[in-house]
Amino acid sequence: MSIDIETAARVAKLARIKVEEDQLPELAIAFNDILGFIEQLNEVDVAGVEPMVSVTPMRLKRRQDGVTDGNQQAKVLSNAPDAREGFFAVPKVVE
């Protein structure tokens, strides 16, 4: 796939990037270089390569998935401007 000057101008317009007319050929060349690099990457055989999340192998700590109230109700409600009966009190907005 090759990017011509008209396509480069359209991409710049869609990206809302102001590009002068005399800079469009350079932009088209840069786009073509990027696409060429992507084509090179597509040629790499990645069969059998496991996807990575990090460059160092690590396992995330796991915990039991259980529903709790956090046991911090008083601490949380201490930040509320108005708390009543163990809940945040908010002004009525719908009548």
Side-chain angles (χ1 to χ4, degrees), residues 69-80 83-88:
D69 65 357
N71 299 323
Q72 298 184 18
Q73 182 181 23
K75 190 174 180 182
V76 170
L77 290 176
S78 68
N79 294 321
R84 296 181 200 153
E85 299 175 16
F87 297 98
F88 287 96

Side-chain angles (χ1 to χ4, degrees), residues 63-71:
R63 62 176 171 80
Q64 183 68 24
D65 188 17
V67 178
T68 66
D69 65 357
N71 299 323

Side-chain angles (χ1 to χ4, degrees), residues 2-87:
S2 180
I3 302 292
D4 57 3
I5 294 173
E6 291 80 27
T7 306
R10 180 168 161 74
V11 170
K13 181 180 178 186
L14 290 172
R16 300 180 195 270
I17 300 171
K18 183 178 179 181
V19 179
E20 301 297 330
E21 285 290 326
D22 59 331
Q23 294 178 333
L24 284 174
E26 294 174 35
L27 183 62
I29 291 170
F31 283 153
N32 284 318
D33 290 344
I34 293 168
L35 290 175
F37 181 69
I38 292 171
E39 287 176 8
Q40 275 185 312
L41 290 176
N42 285 334
E43 293 173 4
V44 175
D45 181 24
V46 293
V49 177
E50 191 174 328
M52 293 176 35
V53 177
S54 174
V55 294
T56 57
M58 65 169 80
R59 279 248 339 138
L60 295 176
K61 295 179 183 175
R62 301 196 185 261
R63 62 176 171 80
Q64 183 68 24
D65 188 17
V67 178
T68 66
D69 65 357
N71 299 323
Q72 298 184 18
Q73 182 181 23
K75 190 174 180 182
V76 170
L77 290 176
S78 68
N79 294 321
D82 187 11
R84 296 181 200 153
E85 299 175 16
F87 297 98

